[in-house]
Amino acid sequence: MPATVTPSELEAITAAKVVDARGSACPGPLLEAKKGIGSVSVGSVLEIWSSDPVTKTDIGAWSTKVGHEFLGVLAGEGYERVLVRRRK
Amino acid sequence: MSGSLSLVLFSGTDDKLMAAATLAAGAAAMDQQVNVILMFWALDAFRKDRIATAHGLAYDAARPRPNEPVENVGALPWLETFRQAKELGEMTIRACSGSLDALGLDPDELDPIVDSAGGIASFLMAAEGSQILFI
């Protein structure tokens, strides 16, 4: 799933909420994303931290399926920051 | 709701239940309706008095794995994952009434995550048009 924003645009985004799912194995981070998206308003961004490298692909697939916008991934130290904009 | 997933759970070992719970929670997060029916050893694993104890591993594990996390009690949080599936989406867990009878169990003896006792016809009706997996 291609990201819809450039890396520099991604860096500039401030998430409305950050969910720390580091250390959690599949399906943990996905479930945290599903839980977390309901707590940000439509149009706002949810950021999920995960140490599982498949999370970004999974959250990309989930975003497409349920109708949110997968923005992309930023590298953290030993984890990844996955950004999703709530669309509905 | 877009699509659905139906699981016939037969095996009652922690590894198979964890695989089932992962599928159920993933489907619930993807906005799919999840239908589960518990039969025999899977049903036995949902007994209130034993649900928190270790239920062993499938024969596929083949040998003791003393240094692997999967051998530790509580390393496979399948009940918690089923609870999350229920919280995140629409999941119904039925206890097969024939298996309740075969095991001499009353529905009251099951963990409250189990919604009701049910016959196979009601499960198949709910599962119509859905993928059905037997685990």
Side-chain angles (χ1 to χ4, degrees):
Chain A
M1 161 94 208
T4 53
V5 297
T6 65
S8 57
E9 285 171 334
L10 203 57
E11 287 283 1
I13 290 173
T14 307
K17 184 184 169 89
V18 176
V19 175
D20 187 354
R22 289 175 296 177
S24 175
C26 178
L30 174 67
L31 304 186
E32 292 300 329
K34 167 78 176 172
K35 249 184 260 181
I37 202 82
S39 63
V40 304
S41 54
V42 175
S44 295
V45 174
L46 175 70
E47 177 172 331
I48 302 104
W49 292 2
S50 176
S51 45
D52 179 353
V54 310
T55 295
K56 53 184 177 295
T57 319
D58 241 28
I59 287 184
W62 166 76
S63 302
T64 305
K65 180 76 163 60
V66 302
H68 300 303
E69 183 187 357
F70 178 70
L71 297 173
V73 188
L74 293 167
E77 300 223 343
Y79 64 99
E80 288 176 317
R81 300 162 53 199
V82 181
L83 281 79
V84 178
R85 190 182 302 281
R86 183 175 174 187
R87 280 298 183 203
K88 55 169 210 180
Chain B
M1 285 291 137
S2 47
S4 61
L5 175 71
S6 298
L7 303 174
V8 179
L9 303 188
F10 173 84
S11 298
T13 54
D14 290 321
D15 47 0
K16 291 204 179 192
L17 289 167
M18 187 65 212
T22 302
L23 280 166
M30 304 283 275
D31 288 349
Q32 298 191 2
Q33 165 81 43
V34 183
N35 306 303
V36 178
I37 188 162
L38 305 174
M39 293 181 164
F40 288 92
W41 317 120
L43 180 63
D44 193 66
F46 278 80
R47 288 171 63 145
K48 241 185 244 175
D49 58 342
R50 292 193 202 154
I51 197 159
T53 63
H55 297 85
L57 298 177
Y59 286 119
D60 311 56
R63 60 185 166 83
R65 297 165 181 271
N67 297 318
E68 294 178 20
V70 74
E71 279 287 355
N72 300 332
V73 176
L76 296 172
W78 56 265
L79 178 59
E80 183 51 33
T81 303
F82 273 121
R83 285 190 179 132
Q84 284 182 307
K86 206 158 204 182
E87 197 181 298
L88 293 176
E90 287 186 32
M91 178 175 72
T92 304
I93 303 183
R94 292 181 172 82
C96 167
S97 57
S99 292
L100 280 169
D101 196 53
L103 296 171
L105 285 173
D106 190 87
D108 294 345
E109 291 174 82
L110 302 172
D111 185 89
I113 196 170
V114 180
D115 295 285
S116 61
I120 198 66
S122 58
F123 170 76
L124 290 171
M125 279 291 285
E128 210 165 53
S130 159
Q131 299 179 61
I132 301 183
L133 298 179
F134 183 93
I135 300 174

Coordinates of all heavy atoms in Angstrom, one line a residue, chain A:
Chain A
M1 N 0.9 -1.2 0.0 CA 0.0 0.0 0.0 C 0.9 1.2 0.0 O 1.7 1.5 0.9 CB -0.9 -0.1 1.3 CG -1.5 1.2 1.7 SD -3.1 1.4 1.1 CE -3.3 3.2 1.0
P2 N 0.9 2.0 -1.1 CA 1.7 3.2 -1.1 C 1.3 4.3 -0.2 O 0.1 4.5 0.0 CB 1.6 3.7 -2.6 CG 0.3 3.1 -3.1 CD 0.0 1.9 -2.2
A3 N 2.3 4.9 0.4 CA 1.9 6.0 1.3 C 1.5 7.2 0.5 O 1.9 7.4 -0.6 CB 3.2 6.4 2.2
T4 N 0.7 8.1 1.1 CA 0.1 9.1 0.3 C 0.8 10.5 0.5 O 0.4 11.5 -0.1 CB -1.4 9.3 0.7 OG1 -1.5 9.5 2.1 CG2 -2.2 8.1 0.3
V5 N 1.8 10.5 1.4 CA 2.5 11.8 1.7 C 4.0 11.6 1.5 O 4.5 10.5 1.7 CB 2.1 12.3 3.1 CG1 0.7 12.7 3.2 CG2 2.5 11.4 4.2
T6 N 4.7 12.6 1.3 CA 6.2 12.6 1.2 C 6.8 12.4 2.6 O 6.1 12.8 3.6 CB 6.7 13.8 0.5 OG1 6.5 14.9 1.4 CG2 6.1 14.1 -0.8
P7 N 8.0 11.9 2.6 CA 8.7 11.8 3.9 C 8.8 13.1 4.7 O 8.6 13.0 6.0 CB 10.1 11.2 3.6 CG 9.9 10.5 2.3 CD 8.8 11.3 1.5
S8 N 9.0 14.2 4.1 CA 9.1 15.4 4.8 C 7.7 15.9 5.4 O 7.6 16.4 6.5 CB 9.8 16.5 4.0 OG 9.0 16.7 2.8
E9 N 6.7 15.6 4.6 CA 5.4 15.9 5.1 C 5.0 15.1 6.3 O 4.4 15.5 7.2 CB 4.3 15.7 3.9 CG 4.3 16.8 2.9 CD 3.4 16.4 1.7 OE1 3.2 15.2 1.4 OE2 2.9 17.3 1.0
L10 N 5.5 13.8 6.2 CA 5.2 12.8 7.2 C 5.9 13.3 8.5 O 5.3 13.3 9.6 CB 5.7 11.5 6.8 CG 5.2 10.2 7.4 CD1 3.7 10.2 7.2 CD2 5.8 9.0 6.9
E11 N 7.1 13.7 8.4 CA 7.8 14.2 9.6 C 7.1 15.4 10.3 O 7.2 15.6 11.5 CB 9.2 14.7 9.2 CG 10.2 13.6 8.8 CD 10.8 12.9 10.1 OE1 10.4 13.3 11.2 OE2 11.6 12.0 9.9
A12 N 6.4 16.2 9.4 CA 5.8 17.4 10.0 C 4.4 17.2 10.6 O 3.9 18.0 11.3 CB 5.6 18.4 8.8
I13 N 3.9 15.9 10.5 CA 2.6 15.6 11.0 C 2.7 15.4 12.6 O 3.6 14.8 13.1 CB 2.1 14.3 10.4 CG1 1.7 14.6 8.9 CG2 0.8 13.8 11.2 CD1 1.3 13.4 8.1
T14 N 1.8 16.1 13.3 CA 1.6 15.8 14.7 C 0.4 14.9 14.9 O -0.7 15.3 14.5 CB 1.5 17.1 15.5 OG1 2.5 18.0 15.1 CG2 1.5 16.9 17.0
A15 N 0.6 13.8 15.5 CA -0.5 12.8 15.7 C -1.3 13.3 16.9 O -0.8 13.9 17.9 CB 0.1 11.4 16.0
A16 N -2.6 13.1 16.8 CA -3.6 13.4 17.9 C -3.4 12.5 19.0 O -3.7 12.8 20.2 CB -5.0 13.4 17.3
K17 N -2.9 11.3 18.7 CA -2.7 10.3 19.8 C -1.6 9.3 19.4 O -1.5 9.0 18.2 CB -4.0 9.5 20.0 CG -4.0 8.5 21.1 CD -5.3 7.7 21.2 CE -5.2 6.5 22.1 NZ -5.5 6.8 23.5
V18 N -0.8 8.9 20.3 CA 0.3 7.9 20.1 C 0.0 6.7 20.9 O -0.3 6.8 22.1 CB 1.7 8.5 20.5 CG1 2.7 7.4 20.3 CG2 2.0 9.7 19.6
V19 N 0.0 5.5 20.2 CA -0.2 4.3 20.9 C 1.1 3.5 20.9 O 1.7 3.3 19.8 CB -1.3 3.4 20.2 CG1 -1.4 2.1 20.9 CG2 -2.6 4.1 20.2
D20 N 1.6 3.1 22.1 CA 2.9 2.4 22.1 C 2.6 0.9 22.2 O 2.2 0.4 23.3 CB 3.6 2.9 23.4 CG 5.0 2.3 23.5 OD1 5.4 1.4 22.6 OD2 5.8 2.7 24.3
A21 N 2.8 0.2 21.1 CA 2.6 -1.2 21.0 C 3.9 -2.0 20.9 O 3.9 -3.1 20.5 CB 1.6 -1.6 19.9
R22 N 5.0 -1.3 21.3 CA 6.3 -2.0 21.2 C 6.4 -3.2 22.1 O 5.8 -3.2 23.2 CB 7.4 -1.0 21.6 CG 7.6 0.1 20.5 CD 8.6 1.1 20.9 NE 8.2 1.9 22.1 CZ 8.9 2.8 22.7 NH1 10.1 3.1 22.3 NH2 8.4 3.4 23.8
G23 N 7.0 -4.2 21.6 CA 7.1 -5.5 22.4 C 5.9 -6.4 22.2 O 5.9 -7.5 22.7
S24 N 4.9 -5.9 21.5 CA 3.7 -6.7 21.4 C 3.7 -7.4 20.0 O 4.1 -6.8 19.0 CB 2.5 -5.8 21.4 OG 1.3 -6.4 21.1
A25 N 3.4 -8.7 20.0 CA 3.5 -9.5 18.8 C 2.2 -9.5 18.0 O 1.1 -9.1 18.6 CB 3.9 -11.0 19.1
C26 N 2.2 -9.8 16.8 CA 1.0 -9.9 15.9 C -0.1 -10.8 16.6 O 0.3 -11.9 17.1 CB 1.3 -10.5 14.6 SG -0.1 -10.7 13.5
P27 N -1.3 -10.4 16.8 CA -2.0 -9.3 16.2 C -2.0 -8.0 17.1 O -2.8 -7.1 16.9 CB -3.4 -9.8 16.0 CG -3.7 -10.7 17.2 CD -2.3 -11.3 17.5
G28 N -1.2 -8.0 18.2 CA -1.3 -6.9 19.2 C -1.3 -5.5 18.6 O -2.3 -4.7 18.8
P29 N -0.3 -5.1 17.8 CA -0.3 -3.7 17.3 C -1.5 -3.4 16.4 O -2.1 -2.3 16.5 CB 1.0 -3.7 16.5 CG 1.9 -4.7 17.1 CD 0.9 -5.8 17.5
L30 N -2.0 -4.3 15.6 CA -3.2 -4.1 14.8 C -4.4 -3.9 15.7 O -5.2 -3.0 15.4 CB -3.4 -5.4 13.9 CG -4.7 -5.3 13.1 CD1 -4.7 -4.2 12.0 CD2 -5.0 -6.7 12.4
L31 N -4.5 -4.6 16.7 CA -5.7 -4.5 17.6 C -5.6 -3.1 18.4 O -6.6 -2.5 18.6 CB -5.7 -5.6 18.7 CG -5.8 -7.0 18.1 CD1 -6.0 -8.1 19.2 CD2 -6.9 -7.2 17.0
E32 N -4.4 -2.7 18.7 CA -4.2 -1.4 19.3 C -4.6 -0.3 18.3 O -5.1 0.7 18.7 CB -2.7 -1.2 19.7 CG -2.3 -2.1 20.9 CD -3.1 -1.9 22.2 OE1 -3.6 -0.7 22.4 OE2 -3.3 -2.8 22.9
A33 N -4.3 -0.5 17.0 CA -4.6 0.5 16.0 C -6.2 0.6 15.9 O -6.7 1.7 15.9 CB -4.0 0.1 14.7
K34 N -6.8 -0.5 15.9 CA -8.3 -0.6 15.8 C -8.9 0.1 17.0 O -9.8 0.9 16.9 CB -8.7 -2.0 15.7 CG -10.2 -2.3 15.9 CD -11.0 -2.0 14.7 CE -12.5 -2.3 14.9 NZ -13.3 -1.8 13.8
K35 N -8.3 -0.2 18.2 CA -8.8 0.4 19.4 C -8.6 2.0 19.4 O -9.5 2.7 19.8 CB -8.1 -0.2 20.6 CG -9.0 -1.0 21.5 CD -8.2 -1.5 22.7 CE -7.7 -2.9 22.5 NZ -6.9 -3.5 23.6
G36 N -7.4 2.3 19.0 CA -6.9 3.7 19.1 C -7.6 4.6 18.1 O -7.9 5.8 18.4
I37 N -8.0 4.1 16.9 CA -8.5 5.0 15.9 C -9.8 5.7 16.3 O -10.2 6.8 15.9 CB -8.7 4.2 14.5 CG1 -8.7 5.2 13.4 CG2 -9.9 3.4 14.5 CD1 -7.3 5.7 12.9
G38 N -10.6 4.9 17.1 CA -11.9 5.5 17.6 C -11.7 6.6 18.6 O -12.6 7.4 18.9
S39 N -10.5 6.8 19.1 CA -10.3 7.9 20.1 C -9.7 9.1 19.5 O -9.5 10.1 20.2 CB -9.4 7.3 21.3 OG -8.1 7.0 20.8
V40 N -9.5 9.1 18.2 CA -9.1 10.4 17.5 C -10.3 10.8 16.6 O -11.1 10.0 16.2 CB -7.8 10.3 16.7 CG1 -6.6 9.8 17.6 CG2 -7.9 9.4 15.5
S41 N -10.4 12.1 16.4 CA -11.5 12.6 15.6 C -11.2 12.3 14.1 O -10.1 12.2 13.7 CB -11.8 14.1 15.9 OG -10.6 14.8 15.7
V42 N -12.3 12.3 13.3 CA -12.2 12.1 11.9 C -11.3 13.2 11.3 O -11.5 14.4 11.6 CB -13.6 12.1 11.2 CG1 -13.5 12.0 9.7 CG2 -14.4 10.9 11.7
G43 N -10.3 12.8 10.5 CA -9.4 13.8 9.9 C -8.1 13.9 10.7 O -7.1 14.4 10.2
S44 N -8.1 13.4 12.0 CA -6.9 13.4 12.8 C -6.0 12.2 12.6 O -6.5 11.2 12.0 CB -7.2 13.5 14.3 OG -7.9 14.7 14.5
V45 N -4.8 12.2 13.1 CA -3.8 11.2 12.8 C -3.6 10.4 14.1 O -3.4 10.9 15.2 CB -2.5 11.8 12.3 CG1 -1.4 10.7 12.2 CG2 -2.8 12.4 10.9
L46 N -3.5 9.0 13.9 CA -3.1 8.1 15.0 C -1.8 7.6 14.6 O -1.5 7.2 13.5 CB -4.1 6.9 15.1 CG -3.8 5.8 16.1 CD1 -3.9 6.3 17.5 CD2 -4.7 4.6 15.9
E47 N -0.9 7.6 15.6 CA 0.5 7.0 15.4 C 0.7 5.8 16.3 O 0.4 5.8 17.5 CB 1.5 8.1 15.8 CG 2.9 7.7 15.8 CD 3.9 8.9 16.0 OE1 3.5 10.1 15.7 OE2 5.0 8.7 16.5
I48 N 1.1 4.7 15.7 CA 1.3 3.4 16.4 C 2.7 3.1 16.4 O 3.4 3.0 15.3 CB 0.5 2.3 15.7 CG1 -1.0 2.6 15.6 CG2 0.7 1.0 16.5 CD1 -1.5 3.0 14.3
W49 N 3.3 2.9 17.6 CA 4.7 2.5 17.7 C 4.7 1.0 17.7 O 4.1 0.4 18.6 CB 5.3 3.1 18.9 CG 5.5 4.5 18.9 CD1 5.1 5.4 17.9 CD2 6.1 5.3 19.9 NE1 5.4 6.7 18.3 CE2 6.0 6.7 19.5 CE3 6.7 5.1 21.2 CZ2 6.5 7.7 20.3 CZ3 7.2 6.1 21.9 CH2 7.1 7.4 21.5
S50 N 5.6 0.4 16.9 CA 5.7 -1.1 16.9 C 7.1 -1.6 16.7 O 7.8 -1.0 15.8 CB 4.8 -1.7 15.9 OG 4.9 -3.1 15.8
S51 N 7.5 -2.6 17.4 CA 8.8 -3.2 17.1 C 8.7 -4.4 16.2 O 9.7 -5.1 15.9 CB 9.5 -3.6 18.5 OG 8.5 -4.2 19.3
D52 N 7.5 -4.7 15.7 CA 7.3 -5.8 14.8 C 7.3 -5.2 13.4 O 6.4 -4.4 13.0 CB 5.9 -6.5 15.1 CG 5.6 -7.6 14.2 OD1 6.3 -7.8 13.2 OD2 4.6 -8.3 14.4
P53 N 8.3 -5.7 12.5 CA 8.4 -5.1 11.2 C 7.2 -5.3 10.3 O 7.1 -4.6 9.3 CB 9.7 -5.7 10.6 CG 10.0 -6.9 11.5 CD 9.4 -6.6 12.8
V54 N 6.3 -6.3 10.6 CA 5.2 -6.5 9.7 C 4.0 -5.6 10.0 O 3.1 -5.5 9.2 CB 4.7 -8.0 9.7 CG1 5.8 -9.0 9.5 CG2 3.9 -8.3 11.0
T55 N 4.1 -4.9 11.1 CA 3.0 -4.0 11.5 C 2.6 -3.0 10.4 O 1.4 -2.8 10.1 CB 3.3 -3.3 12.8 OG1 3.4 -4.3 13.9 CG2 2.2 -2.3 13.2
K56 N 3.6 -2.4 9.8 CA 3.3 -1.4 8.8 C 2.5 -2.0 7.6 O 1.6 -1.3 7.1 CB 4.6 -0.7 8.3 CG 5.7 -1.6 7.8 CD 6.9 -0.8 7.4 CE 8.1 -1.7 7.0 NZ 8.6 -2.6 8.1
T57 N 2.9 -3.2 7.2 CA 2.2 -3.8 6.1 C 0.7 -4.2 6.5 O -0.2 -3.9 5.8 CB 2.9 -5.1 5.7 OG1 4.3 -4.9 5.7 CG2 2.5 -5.6 4.3
D58 N 0.6 -4.7 7.7 CA -0.7 -5.1 8.2 C -1.6 -3.9 8.5 O -2.8 -3.9 8.1 CB -0.5 -5.8 9.6 CG -0.9 -7.2 9.6 OD1 -0.9 -7.8 8.5 OD2 -1.3 -7.7 10.6
I59 N -1.1 -2.8 9.0 CA -1.9 -1.6 9.2 C -2.2 -1.0 7.9 O -3.3 -0.4 7.8 CB -1.2 -0.7 10.2 CG1 -1.3 -1.4 11.6 CG2 -1.8 0.7 10.2 CD1 -0.8 -0.5 12.8
G60 N -1.3 -1.1 6.9 CA -1.7 -0.6 5.6 C -2.9 -1.4 5.0 O -3.8 -0.8 4.5
A61 N -2.9 -2.7 5.1 CA -4.0 -3.5 4.6 C -5.3 -3.2 5.4 O -6.3 -3.1 4.8 CB -3.6 -5.0 4.8
W62 N -5.1 -3.1 6.7 CA -6.3 -2.8 7.5 C -6.9 -1.4 7.1 O -8.1 -1.3 7.0 CB -5.9 -2.8 9.0 CG -6.9 -2.2 9.9 CD1 -8.0 -2.8 10.3 CD2 -6.8 -1.0 10.6 NE1 -8.7 -1.9 11.2 CE2 -7.9 -0.8 11.4 CE3 -5.9 0.1 10.6 CZ2 -8.2 0.3 12.1 CZ3 -6.1 1.2 11.3 CH2 -7.2 1.3 12.1
S63 N -6.0 -0.4 6.9 CA -6.5 0.9 6.5 C -7.3 0.9 5.3 O -8.4 1.5 5.1 CB -5.3 1.9 6.4 OG -4.6 1.9 7.5
T64 N -6.8 0.1 4.3 CA -7.5 0.0 3.0 C -8.8 -0.7 3.2 O -9.8 -0.2 2.6 CB -6.6 -0.9 2.0 OG1 -5.3 -0.3 1.9 CG2 -7.2 -0.9 0.6
K65 N -8.8 -1.7 4.0 CA -10.1 -2.5 4.2 C -11.1 -1.7 4.9 O -12.3 -1.7 4.5 CB -9.7 -3.8 5.0 CG -10.9 -4.7 5.2 CD -11.3 -5.5 4.0 CE -12.2 -6.7 4.3 NZ -13.4 -6.4 5.0
V66 N -10.8 -1.0 5.9 CA -11.8 -0.3 6.7 C -12.0 1.1 6.4 O -12.9 1.8 6.9 CB -11.6 -0.5 8.3 CG1 -11.5 -1.9 8.6 CG2 -10.3 0.2 8.7
G67 N -11.2 1.7 5.4 CA -11.4 3.0 4.9 C -10.7 4.2 5.6 O -11.2 5.3 5.6
H68 N -9.6 3.9 6.2 CA -8.7 5.0 6.7 C -7.6 5.2 5.8 O -7.4 4.5 4.8 CB -8.2 4.7 8.1 CG -9.4 4.5 9.1 ND1 -10.3 5.4 9.3 CD2 -9.7 3.4 9.9 CE1 -11.2 4.9 10.2 NE2 -10.8 3.7 10.5
E69 N -6.8 6.3 6.0 CA -5.7 6.6 5.1 C -4.4 6.3 5.8 O -4.0 6.9 6.8 CB -5.8 8.1 4.8 CG -4.7 8.6 3.8 CD -4.7 10.1 3.6 OE1 -5.5 10.8 4.2 OE2 -3.8 10.6 2.9
F70 N -3.7 5.4 5.1 CA -2.4 5.0 5.6 C -1.4 6.0 5.1 O -1.2 6.2 3.9 CB -2.0 3.6 5.0 CG -0.6 3.1 5.4 CD1 -0.4 2.7 6.7 CD2 0.4 3.0 4.5 CE1 0.9 2.3 7.1 CE2 1.7 2.6 4.8 CZ 1.9 2.2 6.1
L71 N -0.7 6.7 6.1 CA 0.1 7.8 5.7 C 1.6 7.4 5.4 O 2.2 8.0 4.6 CB 0.1 8.9 6.8 CG -1.3 9.6 7.0 CD1 -1.3 10.5 8.2 CD2 -1.7 10.4 5.8
G72 N 2.0 6.5 6.2 CA 3.4 6.0 6.0 C 4.1 5.7 7.3 O 3.5 5.6 8.4
V73 N 5.4 5.5 7.2 CA 6.2 5.0 8.4 C 7.4 5.8 8.6 O 8.1 6.2 7.7 CB 6.7 3.5 8.1 CG1 7.3 2.9 9.3 CG2 5.6 2.7 7.6
L74 N 7.7 6.2 9.9 CA 8.9 6.8 10.3 C 9.7 5.9 11.1 O 9.2 5.1 11.9 CB 8.6 8.1 11.1 CG 7.8 9.2 10.3 CD1 7.3 10.3 11.3 CD2 8.8 9.9 9.3
A75 N 11.0 6.0 11.0 CA 11.9 5.1 11.8 C 12.1 5.7 13.2 O 12.4 6.9 13.3 CB 13.2 4.9 11.1
G76 N 12.0 4.8 14.2 CA 12.4 5.2 15.5 C 13.6 4.4 15.9 O 14.2 3.8 15.0
E77 N 14.1 4.4 17.1 CA 15.3 3.6 17.4 C 14.8 2.2 17.9 O 14.4 2.0 19.0 CB 16.0 4.3 18.6 CG 16.5 5.7 18.2 CD 17.9 6.0 18.7 OE1 18.4 5.3 19.6 OE2 18.5 7.0 18.2
G78 N 14.9 1.3 16.9 CA 14.5 -0.1 17.2 C 13.0 -0.3 17.1 O 12.5 -1.3 17.5
Y79 N 12.3 0.6 16.5 CA 10.9 0.5 16.3 C 10.5 1.3 15.2 O 11.3 2.1 14.6 CB 10.1 0.8 17.6 CG 10.2 2.2 18.0 CD1 9.1 3.1 17.7 CD2 11.2 2.7 18.8 CE1 9.2 4.4 18.1 CE2 11.3 4.0 19.2 CZ 10.3 4.9 18.9 OH 10.3 6.2 19.3
E80 N 9.2 1.2 14.7 CA 8.7 2.0 13.7 C 7.5 2.8 14.1 O 6.7 2.3 15.0 CB 8.4 1.2 12.4 CG 9.7 0.7 11.8 CD 9.4 -0.3 10.6 OE1 8.6 -1.2 10.7 OE2 10.1 -0.1 9.6
R81 N 7.3 4.0 13.6 CA 6.1 4.8 13.9 C 5.2 4.8 12.7 O 5.6 5.3 11.6 CB 6.6 6.2 14.2 CG 7.6 6.3 15.4 CD 8.3 7.6 15.4 NE 7.4 8.8 15.3 CZ 7.8 10.0 14.9 NH1 9.1 10.3 14.6 NH2 6.9 11.0 14.9
V82 N 4.1 4.2 12.8 CA 3.2 4.0 11.7 C 2.0 5.0 11.8 O 1.4 5.1 12.9 CB 2.6 2.6 11.7 CG1 1.6 2.3 10.5 CG2 3.7 1.5 11.7
L83 N 1.8 5.8 10.8 CA 0.8 6.9 10.9 C -0.4 6.6 10.0 O -0.3 6.3 8.8 CB 1.4 8.2 10.4 CG 2.3 8.9 11.5 CD1 3.7 8.2 11.6 CD2 2.5 10.3 11.3
V84 N -1.6 6.8 10.6 CA -2.9 6.6 9.9 C -3.8 7.7 10.2 O -3.9 8.2 11.3 CB -3.5 5.3 10.4 CG1 -4.9 5.1 9.8 CG2 -2.7 4.1 10.2
R85 N -4.4 8.2 9.1 CA -5.4 9.3 9.3 C -6.8 8.7 9.3 O -7.2 8.0 8.4 CB -5.3 10.4 8.2 CG -6.1 11.6 8.5 CD -6.1 12.6 7.3 NE -4.7 13.1 7.0 CZ -4.1 14.0 7.7 NH1 -4.6 14.6 8.7 NH2 -2.9 14.4 7.3
R86 N -7.6 9.0 10.4 CA -8.9 8.5 10.5 C -9.8 9.2 9.4 O -9.8 10.4 9.3 CB -9.5 8.8 11.9 CG -10.9 8.2 12.0 CD -11.4 8.4 13.4 NE -12.8 7.9 13.4 CZ -13.6 8.0 14.4 NH1 -13.2 8.6 15.6 NH2 -14.9 7.6 14.3
R87 N -10.5 8.4 8.6 CA -11.3 8.9 7.5 C -12.8 8.7 7.6 O -13.5 9.1 6.7 CB -10.8 8.3 6.2 CG -9.5 8.9 5.6 CD -9.7 10.4 5.3 NE -8.5 11.0 4.7 CZ -8.3 12.3 4.7 NH1 -9.1 13.1 5.3 NH2 -7.2 12.8 4.1
K88 N -13.2 8.1 8.6 CA -14.6 7.9 8.8 C -15.0 7.7 10.2 O -14.2 7.4 11.1 CB -15.1 6.7 7.9 CG -14.4 5.4 8.2 CD -15.1 4.3 7.6 CE -14.9 3.0 8.4 NZ -15.4 1.8 7.9

